[in-house]
Amino acid sequence: MPHPLSRRIGQVLDLDSAARAIQYDGQWASWGQIGRAARRIGALTGARRIGVMLRNTPAHVAALLGILEAGGTVVVINPSRGDERTRADIAALALPVIVGLADDLANLATPTDGTMLVTLAGLDAQPSVTGAPAADPGRPGVAVWMLTSGTTGPPKRVDLTYTMLARSVMGRDPENLPAPTRLRTGVAIVNSPLVHVGGVFRILLCIAEARPFVLLPKFELDRWAEAVRAHRPRAVSLVPAALRMVLHSDLTRDDLAGVRAVTSGTAPLSADDADAFTAKFGIPVLTSYAATEFGGGVAGWTLTDHQQYWAAKRGSVGRANPGARLRVVDDDGTPVGPDEQGLLEVIPAQMDTADWLRTTDLARIDADGFLWILGRADQAIIRGGFKVMPDDVRTALEAHPAVRGAAVIGRPDERLGETPVAMVELHGQATTADLSEFLATRLARYEIPTDIAIVDVIPRTPSGKADLGAVREHFAGTHPVAPPAPHRA
Protein backbone atom coordinates (compact mmCIF):
# COMPACT_ATOMS: atom_id res chain seq x y z
CA MET A 1 0.00 0.00 0.00
CA PRO A 2 1.64 3.32 -1.01
CA HIS A 3 2.18 5.97 1.61
CA PRO A 4 -0.47 8.75 1.64
CA LEU A 5 2.13 11.22 0.31
CA SER A 6 2.99 8.94 -2.63
CA ARG A 7 -0.69 8.35 -3.24
CA ARG A 8 -1.45 12.07 -3.21
CA ILE A 9 1.26 12.75 -5.79
CA GLY A 10 -0.25 10.15 -8.11
CA GLN A 11 -3.77 11.47 -7.62
CA VAL A 12 -2.81 15.02 -8.55
CA LEU A 13 -0.69 14.00 -11.54
CA ASP A 14 -3.71 12.11 -12.93
CA LEU A 15 -6.41 14.74 -12.31
CA ASP A 16 -6.22 16.62 -15.62
CA SER A 17 -3.29 15.82 -17.89
CA ALA A 18 -3.94 18.78 -20.19
CA ALA A 19 -4.16 21.41 -17.45
CA ARG A 20 -1.26 23.75 -16.71
CA ALA A 21 1.02 22.65 -13.90
CA ILE A 22 4.32 24.58 -13.80
CA GLN A 23 5.24 27.87 -15.42
CA TYR A 24 8.97 28.24 -15.94
CA ASP A 25 10.75 30.92 -17.92
CA GLY A 26 7.41 32.10 -19.31
CA GLN A 27 6.29 28.66 -20.57
CA TRP A 28 3.69 26.35 -19.04
CA ALA A 29 4.19 22.60 -18.67
CA SER A 30 1.07 20.46 -18.28
CA TRP A 31 0.34 17.97 -15.51
CA GLY A 32 0.55 15.27 -18.17
CA GLN A 33 4.09 16.30 -19.06
CA ILE A 34 5.12 16.41 -15.41
CA GLY A 35 3.46 13.06 -14.72
CA ARG A 36 5.08 11.25 -17.65
CA ALA A 37 8.52 12.65 -16.78
CA ALA A 38 8.05 11.76 -13.11
CA ARG A 39 7.06 8.19 -13.85
CA ARG A 40 9.96 7.66 -16.23
CA ILE A 41 12.29 8.55 -13.37
CA GLY A 42 10.33 6.51 -10.82
CA ALA A 43 10.45 3.42 -13.04
CA LEU A 44 14.23 3.72 -13.33
CA THR A 45 15.00 4.39 -9.69
CA GLY A 46 12.56 2.41 -7.57
CA ALA A 47 12.65 2.36 -3.77
CA ARG A 48 16.37 3.05 -3.44
CA ARG A 49 18.47 5.96 -2.23
CA ILE A 50 18.64 8.27 -5.22
CA GLY A 51 21.00 11.21 -5.25
CA VAL A 52 19.49 14.14 -7.09
CA MET A 53 21.56 17.17 -8.06
CA LEU A 54 18.64 19.49 -7.49
CA ARG A 55 18.11 22.72 -9.36
CA ASN A 56 14.93 24.73 -9.72
CA THR A 57 13.70 23.39 -13.07
CA PRO A 58 10.53 21.49 -14.03
CA ALA A 59 12.62 18.39 -14.86
CA HIS A 60 14.02 18.33 -11.34
CA VAL A 61 10.54 18.79 -9.86
CA ALA A 62 9.37 15.83 -11.94
CA ALA A 63 12.31 13.75 -10.70
CA LEU A 64 11.50 14.62 -7.09
CA LEU A 65 7.85 13.67 -7.52
CA GLY A 66 8.64 10.50 -9.44
CA ILE A 67 11.01 9.20 -6.77
CA LEU A 68 8.54 10.00 -3.99
CA GLU A 69 5.63 8.39 -5.85
CA ALA A 70 7.77 5.25 -6.30
CA GLY A 71 8.63 5.14 -2.59
CA GLY A 72 12.33 5.95 -2.91
CA THR A 73 14.53 8.28 -0.89
CA VAL A 74 15.68 11.55 -2.47
CA VAL A 75 19.24 12.22 -1.32
CA VAL A 76 19.69 15.95 -1.79
CA ILE A 77 22.91 16.95 -3.55
CA ASN A 78 23.61 20.65 -3.93
CA PRO A 79 25.60 21.12 -7.16
CA SER A 80 26.38 24.72 -6.21
CA ARG A 81 28.34 24.05 -3.01
CA GLY A 82 31.66 23.93 -4.81
CA ASP A 83 32.94 21.15 -7.03
CA GLU A 84 35.43 19.58 -4.63
CA ARG A 85 33.03 19.49 -1.68
CA THR A 86 30.27 18.04 -3.86
CA ARG A 87 32.55 15.36 -5.32
CA ALA A 88 33.65 14.37 -1.82
CA ASP A 89 30.03 14.27 -0.66
CA ILE A 90 29.00 12.02 -3.55
CA ALA A 91 31.96 9.68 -3.00
CA ALA A 92 31.14 9.32 0.70
CA LEU A 93 27.46 8.59 0.03
CA ALA A 94 28.19 5.63 -2.33
CA LEU A 95 24.78 6.00 -3.97
CA PRO A 96 23.31 3.39 -6.32
CA VAL A 97 21.65 6.06 -8.49
CA ILE A 98 22.48 9.69 -9.22
CA VAL A 99 20.15 11.94 -11.22
CA GLY A 100 21.10 15.29 -12.71
CA LEU A 101 21.72 17.48 -15.72
CA ALA A 102 24.42 16.40 -18.15
CA ASP A 103 26.84 19.16 -17.12
CA ASP A 104 26.39 18.49 -13.41
CA LEU A 105 26.95 14.75 -13.82
CA ALA A 106 29.98 15.28 -16.05
CA ASN A 107 31.60 17.72 -13.62
CA LEU A 108 30.75 16.11 -10.31
CA ALA A 109 29.84 12.42 -10.57
CA THR A 110 32.66 10.05 -11.47
CA PRO A 111 31.23 6.82 -12.98
CA THR A 112 31.87 3.87 -10.66
CA ASP A 113 30.77 0.25 -10.52
CA GLY A 114 27.41 -0.06 -8.86
CA THR A 115 26.26 3.49 -9.63
CA MET A 116 23.71 4.30 -12.31
CA LEU A 117 23.80 7.82 -13.72
CA VAL A 118 20.48 9.18 -14.99
CA THR A 119 20.79 12.25 -17.19
CA LEU A 120 17.76 14.53 -17.34
CA ALA A 121 16.92 15.77 -20.83
CA GLY A 122 13.83 17.91 -20.31
CA LEU A 123 10.26 16.91 -19.63
CA ASP A 124 9.45 15.32 -22.98
CA ALA A 125 12.58 13.22 -23.56
CA GLN A 126 13.58 9.85 -22.16
CA PRO A 127 16.47 10.31 -19.72
CA SER A 128 19.71 8.61 -20.71
CA VAL A 129 21.16 5.94 -18.44
CA THR A 130 24.76 4.89 -17.83
CA GLY A 131 25.76 1.95 -15.65
CA ALA A 132 23.71 -0.27 -13.39
CA PRO A 133 22.77 0.26 -9.74
CA ALA A 134 24.15 -1.91 -6.98
CA ALA A 135 21.84 -3.50 -4.47
CA ASP A 136 20.81 -0.92 -1.90
CA PRO A 137 19.04 -1.29 1.43
CA GLY A 138 17.60 2.20 1.01
CA ARG A 139 16.38 4.26 3.95
CA PRO A 140 12.94 2.75 4.58
CA GLY A 141 10.32 5.35 5.42
CA VAL A 142 12.61 8.28 4.57
CA ALA A 143 11.32 10.51 1.78
CA VAL A 144 14.15 13.04 1.67
CA TRP A 145 17.65 12.84 3.12
CA MET A 146 18.02 16.58 3.41
CA LEU A 147 21.08 18.73 3.86
CA THR A 148 20.72 21.34 6.59
CA SER A 149 21.56 24.90 5.65
CA GLY A 150 25.03 24.80 7.20
CA THR A 151 25.03 28.43 8.33
CA THR A 152 27.25 27.81 11.35
CA GLY A 153 29.26 24.79 10.24
CA PRO A 154 29.37 21.94 7.74
CA PRO A 155 25.89 20.89 6.58
CA LYS A 156 24.61 17.63 8.02
CA ARG A 157 21.96 15.25 6.73
CA VAL A 158 18.56 14.89 8.32
CA ASP A 159 15.92 12.22 7.69
CA LEU A 160 12.62 13.70 6.53
CA THR A 161 10.20 10.79 6.64
CA TYR A 162 7.19 10.35 4.41
CA THR A 163 4.97 10.79 7.46
CA MET A 164 6.68 14.03 8.55
CA LEU A 165 6.30 15.59 5.11
CA ALA A 166 2.76 14.35 4.65
CA ARG A 167 1.69 15.86 7.97
CA SER A 168 3.45 19.13 7.12
CA VAL A 169 1.52 19.62 3.88
CA MET A 170 -1.60 17.48 4.31
CA GLY A 171 -2.46 17.85 8.00
CA ARG A 172 -2.26 15.59 11.03
CA ASP A 173 -4.32 12.77 9.45
CA PRO A 174 -3.05 12.36 5.87
CA GLU A 175 -4.28 8.75 5.71
CA ASN A 176 -7.90 9.90 5.74
CA LEU A 177 -7.59 13.00 3.57
CA PRO A 178 -10.07 12.69 0.68
CA ALA A 179 -8.65 12.51 -2.82
CA PRO A 180 -8.82 15.82 -4.72
CA THR A 181 -11.55 16.03 -7.34
CA ARG A 182 -10.28 19.07 -9.23
CA LEU A 183 -7.26 21.29 -9.62
CA ARG A 184 -7.10 24.69 -7.92
CA THR A 185 -7.32 27.76 -10.13
CA GLY A 186 -5.07 30.04 -8.09
CA VAL A 187 -1.37 29.98 -8.98
CA ALA A 188 1.35 29.85 -6.31
CA ILE A 189 4.92 31.13 -6.66
CA VAL A 190 7.83 28.90 -5.65
CA ASN A 191 11.09 30.81 -5.31
CA SER A 192 12.72 28.71 -2.57
CA PRO A 193 15.55 26.41 -3.72
CA LEU A 194 14.80 22.70 -3.97
CA VAL A 195 18.07 21.92 -2.18
CA HIS A 196 16.51 23.45 0.94
CA VAL A 197 13.62 22.04 2.94
CA GLY A 198 11.64 25.20 2.16
CA GLY A 199 11.68 24.44 -1.57
CA VAL A 200 10.65 20.81 -1.06
CA PHE A 201 7.88 21.94 1.30
CA ARG A 202 6.53 24.50 -1.19
CA ILE A 203 6.46 21.97 -4.04
CA LEU A 204 4.72 19.34 -1.93
CA LEU A 205 2.27 21.90 -0.56
CA CYS A 206 1.26 22.73 -4.13
CA ILE A 207 0.79 19.01 -4.78
CA ALA A 208 -1.24 18.57 -1.60
CA GLU A 209 -3.47 21.46 -2.66
CA ALA A 210 -3.56 20.36 -6.34
CA ARG A 211 -2.35 23.84 -7.26
CA PRO A 212 -0.34 25.02 -10.31
CA PHE A 213 2.68 27.18 -9.63
CA VAL A 214 5.31 29.43 -11.08
CA LEU A 215 8.82 28.04 -10.52
CA LEU A 216 11.65 30.57 -10.33
CA PRO A 217 15.28 29.43 -10.72
CA LYS A 218 16.04 31.61 -7.69
CA PHE A 219 14.63 34.72 -6.08
CA GLU A 220 15.09 37.63 -8.47
CA LEU A 221 13.11 40.75 -7.70
CA ASP A 222 11.99 41.53 -11.25
CA ARG A 223 10.93 37.97 -12.10
CA TRP A 224 9.17 37.56 -8.77
CA ALA A 225 7.30 40.87 -9.16
CA GLU A 226 6.28 39.94 -12.71
CA ALA A 227 4.82 36.66 -11.45
CA VAL A 228 3.00 38.39 -8.60
CA ARG A 229 1.46 40.95 -10.97
CA ALA A 230 0.46 38.27 -13.47
CA HIS A 231 -1.09 35.73 -11.10
CA ARG A 232 -2.09 37.79 -8.04
CA PRO A 233 -1.52 35.06 -5.43
CA ARG A 234 -3.27 35.63 -2.12
CA ALA A 235 -0.18 34.61 -0.16
CA VAL A 236 3.54 34.64 -0.93
CA SER A 237 6.55 33.36 0.99
CA LEU A 238 9.69 35.46 1.35
CA VAL A 239 12.80 34.72 3.40
CA PRO A 240 13.96 37.82 5.32
CA ALA A 241 16.68 38.70 2.78
CA ALA A 242 14.14 38.61 -0.06
CA LEU A 243 11.54 40.49 1.97
CA ARG A 244 14.03 43.28 2.59
CA MET A 245 14.77 43.46 -1.14
CA VAL A 246 11.06 43.90 -1.85
CA LEU A 247 10.72 46.41 0.99
CA HIS A 248 13.53 48.62 -0.32
CA SER A 249 12.55 48.31 -3.99
CA ASP A 250 10.46 50.63 -6.15
CA LEU A 251 7.50 48.24 -6.04
CA THR A 252 4.19 49.74 -4.91
CA ARG A 253 0.96 48.56 -3.37
CA ASP A 254 -0.44 48.15 -6.89
CA ASP A 255 2.32 45.66 -7.78
CA LEU A 256 1.30 43.46 -4.84
CA ALA A 257 -2.40 44.22 -5.06
CA GLY A 258 -3.58 40.61 -4.91
CA VAL A 259 -1.45 39.58 -1.94
CA ARG A 260 -3.25 39.31 1.42
CA ALA A 261 -0.39 37.93 3.53
CA VAL A 262 3.35 37.34 3.38
CA THR A 263 4.84 34.41 5.28
CA SER A 264 8.48 34.60 6.33
CA GLY A 265 10.76 32.07 7.97
CA THR A 266 14.17 30.30 7.82
CA ALA A 267 15.95 33.26 9.46
CA PRO A 268 15.13 36.03 11.95
CA LEU A 269 13.12 39.01 10.68
CA SER A 270 13.00 42.14 12.80
CA ALA A 271 9.66 43.53 13.88
CA ASP A 272 10.69 46.90 12.42
CA ASP A 273 11.10 45.35 8.97
CA ALA A 274 7.77 43.56 9.30
CA ASP A 275 6.04 46.80 10.29
CA ALA A 276 7.76 48.76 7.51
CA PHE A 277 6.62 46.18 4.94
CA THR A 278 3.03 46.38 6.20
CA ALA A 279 3.14 50.19 6.20
CA LYS A 280 4.41 50.30 2.61
CA PHE A 281 2.25 47.59 1.04
CA GLY A 282 -0.68 47.20 3.44
CA ILE A 283 0.13 43.48 3.81
CA PRO A 284 0.67 41.72 7.16
CA VAL A 285 3.86 39.70 7.55
CA LEU A 286 3.31 36.36 9.27
CA THR A 287 6.60 35.15 10.68
CA SER A 288 7.14 31.53 11.67
CA TYR A 289 9.58 29.19 13.36
CA ALA A 290 10.71 25.94 11.75
CA ALA A 291 13.72 23.67 11.46
CA THR A 292 14.87 21.13 8.91
CA GLU A 293 14.99 18.52 11.68
CA PHE A 294 11.26 19.01 12.34
CA GLY A 295 10.27 18.61 8.69
CA GLY A 296 8.41 21.91 8.79
CA GLY A 297 7.06 24.58 11.07
CA VAL A 298 6.22 24.32 14.76
CA ALA A 299 5.05 27.91 15.43
CA GLY A 300 3.75 30.84 13.46
CA TRP A 301 1.35 33.73 13.18
CA THR A 302 -2.17 33.33 11.80
CA LEU A 303 -4.03 36.24 10.27
CA THR A 304 -6.50 36.18 13.16
CA ASP A 305 -3.74 36.34 15.77
CA HIS A 306 -1.95 39.06 13.80
CA GLN A 307 -5.05 41.24 13.72
CA GLN A 308 -5.67 40.77 17.44
CA TYR A 309 -2.21 40.60 18.99
CA TRP A 310 0.52 42.00 16.73
CA ALA A 311 0.61 45.45 18.31
CA ALA A 312 1.25 43.91 21.73
CA LYS A 313 3.34 40.91 20.64
CA ARG A 314 5.40 42.34 17.77
CA GLY A 315 8.66 40.50 17.31
CA SER A 316 7.18 37.16 18.32
CA VAL A 317 7.22 34.29 15.81
CA GLY A 318 3.67 33.37 16.80
CA ARG A 319 2.15 30.51 18.74
CA ALA A 320 2.54 26.74 18.54
CA ASN A 321 1.06 25.17 15.41
CA PRO A 322 -1.86 22.77 15.95
CA GLY A 323 -0.56 19.60 17.55
CA ALA A 324 2.88 21.05 18.37
CA ARG A 325 4.12 21.70 21.91
CA LEU A 326 6.69 24.28 23.02
CA ARG A 327 8.44 24.96 26.30
CA VAL A 328 11.50 26.83 27.59
CA VAL A 329 13.92 25.19 30.03
CA ASP A 330 16.95 26.27 32.05
CA ASP A 331 20.43 24.76 31.72
CA ASP A 332 19.38 21.81 33.88
CA GLY A 333 16.33 21.06 31.72
CA THR A 334 13.80 22.40 34.21
CA PRO A 335 10.88 24.28 32.60
CA VAL A 336 10.83 28.00 33.40
CA GLY A 337 7.89 30.34 33.82
CA PRO A 338 6.26 32.75 31.36
CA ASP A 339 8.61 35.36 29.88
CA GLU A 340 11.70 33.74 31.41
CA GLN A 341 14.61 33.13 29.05
CA GLY A 342 16.05 29.68 28.41
CA LEU A 343 16.52 27.01 25.77
CA LEU A 344 13.59 26.13 23.54
CA GLU A 345 12.34 22.53 23.50
CA VAL A 346 9.78 21.26 20.99
CA ILE A 347 7.51 18.30 20.32
CA PRO A 348 6.63 18.77 16.63
CA ALA A 349 3.21 17.76 15.37
CA GLN A 350 4.89 16.12 12.37
CA MET A 351 6.73 13.54 14.47
CA ASP A 352 5.51 10.54 16.46
CA THR A 353 7.36 11.26 19.67
CA ALA A 354 6.54 12.17 23.23
CA ASP A 355 10.10 13.25 23.89
CA TRP A 356 11.05 16.89 24.03
CA LEU A 357 13.58 17.85 21.36
CA ARG A 358 16.05 20.46 22.57
CA THR A 359 17.07 23.19 20.17
CA THR A 360 20.05 25.54 20.42
CA ASP A 361 17.75 28.57 20.35
CA LEU A 362 17.36 30.94 23.27
CA ALA A 363 13.72 31.80 23.68
CA ARG A 364 10.91 32.96 25.91
CA ILE A 365 7.20 32.15 25.84
CA ASP A 366 4.66 34.50 27.36
CA ALA A 367 1.51 33.67 29.26
CA ASP A 368 -0.54 33.69 26.04
CA GLY A 369 1.73 31.15 24.38
CA PHE A 370 3.57 33.53 22.03
CA LEU A 371 7.16 32.57 21.30
CA TRP A 372 10.13 34.91 20.95
CA ILE A 373 13.44 33.63 19.55
CA LEU A 374 16.20 35.58 21.30
CA GLY A 375 19.23 34.16 19.52
CA ARG A 376 21.32 31.05 19.20
CA ALA A 377 22.84 29.78 22.42
CA ASP A 378 25.75 28.31 20.48
CA GLN A 379 26.55 31.64 18.75
CA ALA A 380 26.86 33.89 21.79
CA ILE A 381 30.00 36.05 21.65
CA ILE A 382 31.75 36.53 25.01
CA ARG A 383 33.66 39.81 24.79
CA GLY A 384 35.77 40.40 27.87
CA GLY A 385 33.14 38.69 30.03
CA PHE A 386 30.17 40.46 28.37
CA LYS A 387 27.73 38.36 26.33
CA VAL A 388 26.92 39.69 22.86
CA MET A 389 24.11 38.10 20.86
CA PRO A 390 24.83 38.34 17.10
CA ASP A 391 21.14 38.67 16.27
CA ASP A 392 20.86 41.79 18.44
CA VAL A 393 23.74 43.41 16.56
CA ARG A 394 22.42 42.28 13.18
CA THR A 395 18.97 43.67 13.95
CA ALA A 396 20.46 47.02 14.97
CA LEU A 397 22.52 47.22 11.78
CA GLU A 398 19.54 46.35 9.59
CA ALA A 399 17.60 49.20 11.19
CA HIS A 400 19.91 51.64 9.37
CA PRO A 401 18.06 52.99 6.31
CA ALA A 402 20.98 52.24 3.96
CA VAL A 403 21.48 48.63 5.05
CA ARG A 404 19.93 45.82 3.01
CA GLY A 405 21.27 43.00 5.16
CA ALA A 406 23.91 42.15 7.76
CA ALA A 407 25.69 39.15 9.23
CA VAL A 408 27.51 39.14 12.58
CA ILE A 409 30.04 36.65 13.95
CA GLY A 410 32.62 36.50 16.73
CA ARG A 411 36.32 36.84 15.86
CA PRO A 412 39.04 35.59 18.24
CA ASP A 413 40.82 38.33 20.17
CA GLU A 414 43.94 37.77 22.30
CA ARG A 415 42.87 40.28 24.95
CA LEU A 416 39.07 39.97 25.04
CA GLY A 417 38.53 36.39 23.93
CA GLU A 418 36.18 37.38 21.08
CA THR A 419 34.80 40.53 19.54
CA PRO A 420 31.81 40.95 17.22
CA VAL A 421 32.50 41.74 13.57
CA ALA A 422 29.92 42.42 10.88
CA MET A 423 29.48 42.08 7.15
CA VAL A 424 27.01 44.55 5.65
CA GLU A 425 25.25 44.77 2.30
CA LEU A 426 23.92 48.21 1.36
CA HIS A 427 21.19 49.57 -0.88
CA GLY A 428 22.07 53.18 -0.08
CA GLN A 429 25.07 55.25 0.94
CA ALA A 430 26.85 54.69 4.25
CA THR A 431 30.40 54.34 5.52
CA THR A 432 31.69 52.10 8.29
CA ALA A 433 32.01 55.22 10.45
CA ASP A 434 28.37 56.10 9.73
CA LEU A 435 27.28 52.61 10.77
CA SER A 436 29.35 52.61 13.96
CA GLU A 437 27.94 55.99 14.93
CA PHE A 438 24.42 54.73 14.24
CA LEU A 439 24.99 51.66 16.42
CA ALA A 440 26.31 53.78 19.27
CA THR A 441 22.78 55.06 19.86
CA ARG A 442 21.29 51.56 19.90
CA LEU A 443 23.77 49.17 21.46
CA ALA A 444 26.05 48.97 24.46
CA ARG A 445 29.64 49.81 23.62
CA TYR A 446 30.79 46.19 24.03
CA GLU A 447 28.16 45.09 21.45
CA ILE A 448 29.42 47.38 18.66
CA PRO A 449 31.45 45.49 16.04
CA THR A 450 35.20 46.11 16.01
CA ASP A 451 35.22 45.55 12.25
CA ILE A 452 32.53 46.25 9.66
CA ALA A 453 33.04 45.01 6.11
CA ILE A 454 30.81 46.55 3.46
CA VAL A 455 30.38 44.10 0.57
CA ASP A 456 28.38 44.02 -2.65
CA VAL A 457 26.56 40.82 -1.67
CA ILE A 458 26.56 38.85 1.58
CA PRO A 459 27.27 35.17 0.84
CA ARG A 460 24.14 33.16 1.54
CA THR A 461 23.07 29.54 1.77
CA PRO A 462 20.33 28.21 -0.54
CA SER A 463 17.77 28.98 2.18
CA GLY A 464 18.65 32.68 2.08
CA LYS A 465 20.47 32.72 5.41
CA ALA A 466 23.86 34.37 5.68
CA ASP A 467 26.59 31.77 5.19
CA LEU A 468 28.48 32.37 8.42
CA GLY A 469 31.26 30.02 7.40
CA ALA A 470 31.98 32.19 4.36
CA VAL A 471 31.71 35.30 6.52
CA ARG A 472 34.34 33.87 8.89
CA GLU A 473 36.64 33.12 5.96
CA HIS A 474 36.26 36.72 4.82
CA PHE A 475 37.32 38.09 8.20
CA ALA A 476 40.22 35.69 8.73
CA GLY A 477 43.40 37.79 8.71
CA THR A 478 41.68 41.16 8.20
CA HIS A 479 42.38 44.19 10.40
CA PRO A 480 39.80 45.99 12.53
CA VAL A 481 38.56 49.41 11.63
CA ALA A 482 38.94 52.42 13.90
CA PRO A 483 37.20 52.09 17.27
CA PRO A 484 33.49 52.91 17.20
CA ALA A 485 32.08 56.19 18.35
CA PRO A 486 31.43 56.45 22.11
CA HIS A 487 28.14 55.07 23.36
CA ARG A 488 25.43 57.70 23.78
CA ALA A 489 22.85 57.38 26.47
Side-chain angles (χ1 to χ4, degrees), residues 93-104:
L93 288 166
L95 297 165
V97 183
I98 301 176
V99 178
L101 298 176
D103 287 347
D104 286 337

Side-chain angles (χ1 to χ4, degrees), residues 73-98:
T73 297
V74 175
V75 181
V76 172
I77 299 173
N78 183 355
S80 302
R81 285 185 64 217
D83 289 359
E84 292 305 317
R85 284 197 300 179
T86 303
R87 290 190 192 105
D89 191 25
I90 291 172
L93 288 166
L95 297 165
V97 183
I98 301 176

Side-chain angles (χ1 to χ4, degrees), residues 45-270:
T45 57
R48 300 180 176 92
R49 295 177 305 137
I50 301 99
V52 187
M53 296 185 185
L54 282 167
R55 295 188 184 274
N56 278 34
T57 78
H60 288 89
V61 172
L64 171 73
L65 297 178
I67 294 166
L68 295 181
E69 188 186 17
T73 297
V74 175
V75 181
V76 172
I77 299 173
N78 183 355
S80 302
R81 285 185 64 217
D83 289 359
E84 292 305 317
R85 284 197 300 179
T86 303
R87 290 190 192 105
D89 191 25
I90 291 172
L93 288 166
L95 297 165
V97 183
I98 301 176
V99 178
L101 298 176
D103 287 347
D104 286 337
L105 290 173
N107 291 336
L108 302 171
T110 303
T112 58
D113 291 340
T115 297
M116 181 172 74
L117 303 182
V118 179
T119 304
L120 300 174
L123 291 176
D124 299 318
Q126 184 72 26
S128 61
V129 176
T130 304
D136 184 63
R139 293 183 77 82
V142 177
V144 180
W145 207 16
M146 175 61 70
L147 276 170
T148 60
S149 57
T151 53
T152 59
K156 59 184 179 180
R157 292 194 177 273
V158 174
D159 285 340
L160 302 182
T161 68
Y162 276 85
T163 297
M164 288 166 65
L165 291 177
R167 289 175 177 172
S168 286
V169 299
M170 298 168 64
R172 281 287 295 169
D173 189 17
E175 292 84 357
N176 295 313
L177 190 69
T181 57
R182 61 181 179 83
L183 294 167
R184 297 285 187 95
T185 56
V187 177
I189 299 173
V190 177
N191 48 261
S192 300
L194 289 179
V195 294
H196 181 255
V197 66
V200 172
F201 173 82
R202 293 292 162 193
I203 296 294
L204 294 181
L205 183 62
C206 290
I207 292 295
E209 296 179 345
R211 185 182 300 281
F213 58 92
V214 177
L215 179 67
L216 299 181
K218 60 181 180 179
F219 180 83
E220 292 178 336
L221 181 64
D222 291 344
R223 286 192 179 191
W224 179 84
E226 180 182 359
V228 170
R229 284 191 291 263
H231 299 291
R232 298 172 67 89
R234 293 183 61 83
V236 294
S237 177
L238 293 170
V239 300
L243 184 142
R244 288 176 62 84
M245 288 179 67
V246 176
L247 172 62
H248 297 297
S249 72
D250 294 330
L251 296 176
T252 68
R253 290 174 186 254
D254 290 340
D255 292 305
L256 278 60
V259 179
R260 296 293 175 265
V262 172
T263 60
S264 186
T266 77
L269 177 73
S270 74

Side-chain angles (χ1 to χ4, degrees), residues 318-484:
R319 294 198 267 196
N321 290 347
R325 297 173 63 191
L326 311 173
R327 73 179 186 183
V328 174
V329 300
D330 62 20
D331 292 340
D332 296 325
T334 302
V336 301
D339 286 316
E340 292 187 45
Q341 178 176 306
L343 285 170
L344 177 65
E345 292 189 337
V346 177
I347 298 180
Q350 297 92 319
M351 299 173 67
D352 289 318
T353 180
D355 296 328
W356 288 97
L357 306 179
R358 180 167 296 187
T359 73
T360 56
D361 289 312
L362 296 172
R364 68 177 176 91
I365 299 173
D366 74 5
D368 295 317
F370 284 88
L371 168 68
W372 278 260
I373 302 299
L374 306 176
R376 291 283 294 265
D378 58 353
Q379 290 181 27
I381 300 165
I382 307 301
R383 178 179 181 174
F386 292 96
K387 180 180 288 189
V388 179
M389 297 310 301
D391 279 344
D392 292 344
V393 182
R394 177 195 56 79
T395 299
L397 276 165
E398 290 181 347
H400 190 286
V403 173
R404 171 172 286 155
V408 179
I409 62 167
R411 183 169 64 183
D413 183 275
E414 290 185 4
R415 185 172 64 89
L416 297 172
E418 275 188 310
T419 64
V421 293
M423 181 178 284
V424 173
E425 179 182 336
L426 301 177
H427 58 79
Q429 296 295 317
T431 66
T432 56
D434 294 335
L435 296 175
S436 291
E437 185 175 355
F438 177 82
L439 293 179
T441 65
R442 288 161 172 78
L443 298 174
R445 183 176 174 80
Y446 63 82
E447 294 178 293
I448 298 174
T450 56
D451 197 347
I452 298 176
I454 296 175
V455 298
D456 291 337
V457 179
I458 293 174
R460 295 189 180 277
T461 68
S463 65
K465 299 178 183 179
D467 185 339
L468 299 186
V471 175
R472 287 191 181 91
E473 290 177 7
H474 177 91
F475 278 105
T478 60
H479 300 287
V481 295

